Amino acid sequence: MTVYLVGAGPGDPELITLKAIKALNRADVVIYDRLANEEILQHSPNAKLIYVGKKAGEHYKSQEEINNIIIKEAKNESNKIIVRLKGGDPFVFGRGGEEILELINENISFEIIPGVTSAIGAPTRVGLPITHRGVATSFTVVTGHEDPTKDKKQVKWDYTADTIIVLMGIGKIEENTTEMMKYKSPKTPACIIENGTLPNERIIFGKLENIAQKDINTPAILIVGNVINIFKEIKDFKDKNNI
């Protein structure tokens, strides 16, 4: 018996890897979360499907509850292949490490299949180069929503990277951008990518000083840096030529 920790990619079901699809085809059980596109589940037509994400009006399962579900299914002798399907990449703010440690504690075999994180997949899909020679030689990916049970915050916002990509931060975007403006100019270009790689994708431009006042819906990522100016040129060309 093996548990496969699988990254589902940034949203578009066609951006999942071939290795992930092979694991899903063989799965007896698929345990999936909210950010894993449900169209991907068609690759597991005979599997037991267990949703562990958040739905309106329903209890949001804690990480401990999810761990218990994974272990329970893994210990069921009738199951040979368990797929834990997670949005993006399992190890980019996906708590994949926590789940692997639980499997190790129970002496359960596992394999990790990486996925395209939205931090890279969403901007690349629209033509936003997070690095660009002469403009940006570094980037930082940071969570915009830390664990509220922590004794103190780990995110300091004093990053020196040319491009900052913030995941899971829309609920605290005003607080986060205020902190960033302590270290970066309020005029620094910024943009939001909503529903990246999906048909209802939306791009919102602004600056660090005003992006929080825009009409933004989740899921979305925030990107801050001068590469936004390069992106505007690329987007203008794509829009004019209907690309």
Side-chain angles (χ1 to χ4, degrees):
M1 195 288 306
T2 303
V3 174
Y4 288 83
L5 195 65
V6 176
D12 183 340
E14 293 186 356
L15 293 177
I16 193 170
T17 66
L18 289 174
K19 192 173 184 68
I21 289 173
K22 288 179 180 179
L24 286 163
N25 284 337
R26 299 168 56 208
D28 298 298
V29 178
V30 177
I31 303 166
Y32 67 104
D33 65 27
R34 182 175 67 90
L35 293 180
N37 194 312
E38 290 196 9
E39 288 185 34
I40 292 171
L41 300 176
Q42 67 182 335
H43 297 296
S44 297
N46 300 315
K48 174 184 176 181
L49 304 177
I50 302 176
Y51 179 80
V52 294
K54 185 178 183 179
K55 289 183 179 178
E58 292 187 13
H59 173 58
Y60 182 24
K61 286 182 171 53
S62 68
Q63 187 59 51
E64 183 180 1
E65 289 175 304
I66 294 171
N67 292 344
N68 289 338
I69 290 170
I70 297 170
I71 299 302
K72 177 184 176 183
E73 295 298 328
K75 289 185 173 181
N76 184 336
E77 293 183 359
S78 64
N79 295 328
K80 302 299 181 185
I81 301 293
I82 310 291
V83 168
R84 171 65 173 112
L85 186 65
K86 305 171 78 68
D89 182 90
F91 282 178
V92 181
F93 303 125
R95 295 192 175 184
E98 296 176 41
E99 294 175 4
I100 292 300
L101 290 175
E102 287 296 320
L103 294 172
I104 290 172
N105 288 338
E106 298 291 335
N107 197 31
I108 293 171
S109 177
F110 62 85
E111 183 174 333
I112 304 160
I113 300 177
V116 178
T117 170
S118 62
I120 305 299
T124 297
R125 183 65 174 268
V126 298
L128 194 166
I130 60 172
T131 63
H132 188 86
R133 188 168 59 172
V135 178
T137 59
S138 59
F139 67 90
T140 290
V141 181
V142 59
T143 178
H145 186 88
E146 290 192 79
D147 184 346
T149 64
K150 288 180 180 177
D151 293 333
K152 61 179 180 179
K153 293 183 178 180
Q154 290 177 266
V155 178
K156 304 300 184 185
W157 297 110
D158 56 346
Y159 301 108
T160 58
D162 298 311
T163 306
I164 299 177
I165 303 165
V166 184
L167 304 186
M168 304 180 298
I170 300 307
K172 293 189 175 184
I173 188 169
E174 187 166 1
E175 176 185 333
N176 294 341
T177 52
T178 297
E179 287 297 314
M180 274 191 270
M181 282 188 285
K182 294 178 181 179
Y183 309 98
K184 288 185 177 292
S185 167
K187 304 297 182 182
T188 304
C191 86
I192 296 287
I193 302 177
E194 282 184 10
N195 294 298
T197 76
L198 296 173
N200 57 340
E201 178 180 80
R202 191 163 74 107
I203 300 166
I204 303 162
F205 289 104
K207 296 184 184 300
L208 199 50
E209 64 184 354
N210 65 12
I211 195 71
Q213 279 70 57
K214 307 289 184 176
D215 176 26
I216 304 168
N217 301 300
T218 58
I221 67 172
L222 168 66
I223 303 169
V224 177
N226 289 327
V227 290
I228 304 301
N229 295 327
I230 306 296
F231 173 44
K232 285 181 178 179
E233 291 185 40
I234 294 171
K235 187 176 185 304
D236 286 345
F237 179 83
K238 290 177 64 179
D239 290 346
K240 287 177 184 177
N241 292 276
N242 197 28
I243 297 175

